[in-house]
């Protein structure tokens, strides 16, 4: 049975607070994109893994975070340029919208303040603090966290994830984004499916197959003027591969990627096609945690998965 996973890095300003210059259009698009994606997921009844930056769950803060072992200057922008922009620093209203959704989304962690876990400056103490604060805040909101999505996909300190009882993370993609990815998948006929694996810490690595906004700018405009949206075509192909080969296709994005109505149309076309293929076939739409549970599920003597009642769920 094929499977499709959609994951989102939900971060508002925290995805950019350490960058200079700021990508202003995307910074301002975070709230809009969050709401659009929630609406689209509800319309097509698609569950997704939402990895939320923990700071968004705070009601307020001093912008100093003296008790947090972050690198010097890490919270400077929060105290200066963004001191009067709580809409970029906090997102309790958006988190509440997510939790109130009729769709059973997975609530995952994207760290506390978008620290890069694979960076040399991120020692174990900082990784522990980032994860612990994020999980504590999620617990205050009544959310148990199983999965972690690394900020900027910079994988590191996996032992810390295991120590805190997480079960899975989104690993780096074995495929290419942008023009190279489009060429490989369409011209070279390279597969877009990924294989979840269990690492040495017992965590399930659910790699990404495709970043849904990896082909932008003038090249996208030209392509759309003479053809169809290349990312929609590529996503449809990945979905079809999952159906045909009983494999896993994992697509991801940030809500802040939706900066214009044409981005909304891209996501609508992809999710509409996913819902259509799910209705026509035995395709599953899963979250990262769903995949991890399936990978870790005990096997019966005939190779079928042992059901909760002790029976065996083999292929019919």
């Amino acid at each position: 049975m094929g499977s499709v996973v959609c994951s989102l890095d939900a971060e508002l300003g925290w995805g950019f607070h350490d960058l200079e210059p700021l990508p202003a259009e995307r910074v301002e698009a975070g709230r809009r994109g969050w709401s659009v994606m929630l609406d689209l997921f509800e319309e097509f009844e698609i569950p997704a893994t939402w990895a939320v930056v923990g700071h968004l769950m705070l009601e307020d803060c001093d912008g100093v975070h003296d008790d947090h072992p972050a690198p010097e200057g890490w919270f400077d922008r929060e105290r200066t340029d963004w001191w009067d922009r709580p809409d970029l620093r906090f997102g309790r209203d958006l988190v509440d919208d997510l939790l109130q959704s009729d769709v059973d989304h997975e609530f995952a962690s994207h760290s506390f303040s978008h620290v890069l876990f694979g960076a040399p400056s991120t020692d174990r103490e900082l990784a522990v603090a980032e994860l612990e604060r994020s999980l504590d805040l999620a617990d205050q909101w009544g959310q148990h966290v199983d999965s972690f999505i690394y900020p900027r996909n910079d994988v590191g300190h996996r032992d810390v994830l295991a120590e805190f009882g997480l079960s899975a993370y989104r690993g780096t993609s074995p495929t290419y984004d942008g023009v190279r990815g489009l060429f490989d998948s369409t011209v070279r006929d390279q597969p877009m499916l990924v294989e979840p694996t269990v690492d040495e810490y017992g965590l399930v690595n659910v790699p990404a197959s495709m970043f849904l906004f990896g082909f932008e700018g003038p090249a996208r405009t030209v392509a759309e003027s003479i053809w169809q949206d290349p990312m929609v075509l590529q996503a449809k192909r990945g979905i079809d591969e999952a159906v045909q080969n009983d494999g896993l296709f994992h697509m991801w994005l940030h809500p802040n990627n939706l900066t214009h109505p044409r981005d909304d149309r891209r996501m609508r076309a992809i999710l509409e096609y996913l819902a259509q293929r799910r209705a026509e076939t035995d395709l599953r739409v899963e979250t990262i945690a769903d995949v991890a549970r399936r990978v870790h599920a005990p096997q019966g003597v005939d190779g079928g998965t042992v059901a909760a009642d002790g029976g065996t769920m083999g292929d019919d």
Side-chain angles (χ1 to χ4, degrees), residues 258-295:
L258 277 68
T259 59
H260 293 94
R262 71 173 185 172
D263 303 319
D264 306 353
R265 292 192 292 270
R266 169 181 289 178
M267 292 311 306
R268 169 177 289 278
I270 291 170
L271 296 182
E272 183 176 32
Y273 188 74
L274 176 57
Q276 174 190 327
R277 296 296 281 154
R278 179 181 57 185
E280 297 170 344
T281 67
D282 61 357
L283 179 68
R284 290 179 294 210
V285 178
E286 299 183 290
T287 64
I288 291 176
D290 290 334
V291 174
R293 284 189 287 269
R294 177 160 56 82
V295 170

Side-chain angles (χ1 to χ4, degrees), residues 133-284:
R133 191 75 191 277
S134 174
L135 297 184
D136 283 349
L137 285 164
D139 185 64
Q140 292 173 28
W141 283 69
Q143 299 303 302
H144 174 76
V145 174
D146 289 311
S147 306
F148 188 80
I149 289 181
Y150 285 97
R152 297 187 193 140
N153 297 305
D154 197 356
V155 176
H157 297 287
R158 288 173 293 136
D159 59 316
V160 173
L161 272 59
E163 178 181 311
F164 278 87
L166 274 67
S167 61
Y169 61 95
R170 187 181 72 204
T172 54
S173 174
T175 60
Y176 293 94
D177 292 323
V179 175
R180 174 69 182 273
L182 190 64
F183 178 83
D184 282 351
S185 64
T186 56
V187 179
R188 297 181 60 201
D189 200 29
Q190 295 294 306
M192 301 183 66
L193 305 182
V194 293
E195 184 70 28
T197 58
V198 180
D199 70 13
E200 64 268 35
Y201 301 105
L203 300 168
V204 179
N205 173 8
V206 185
S209 300
M210 174 186 175
F211 175 45
L212 292 175
F213 286 83
F215 188 83
E216 305 307 307
R220 174 184 176 181
T221 301
V222 171
E224 288 179 339
S225 69
I226 60 175
W227 197 27
Q228 299 182 53
D229 183 338
M231 292 291 97
V232 173
L233 295 176
Q234 197 173 6
K236 287 182 176 180
R237 177 177 177 181
I239 293 168
D240 287 341
E241 282 188 21
V243 172
Q244 295 158 8
N245 299 308
D246 293 333
L248 172 63
F249 176 63
H250 181 182
M251 52 189 178
W252 72 280
L253 71 153
H254 311 86
N256 59 51
N257 288 128
L258 277 68
T259 59
H260 293 94
R262 71 173 185 172
D263 303 319
D264 306 353
R265 292 192 292 270
R266 169 181 289 178
M267 292 311 306
R268 169 177 289 278
I270 291 170
L271 296 182
E272 183 176 32
Y273 188 74
L274 176 57
Q276 174 190 327
R277 296 296 281 154
R278 179 181 57 185
E280 297 170 344
T281 67
D282 61 357
L283 179 68
R284 290 179 294 210

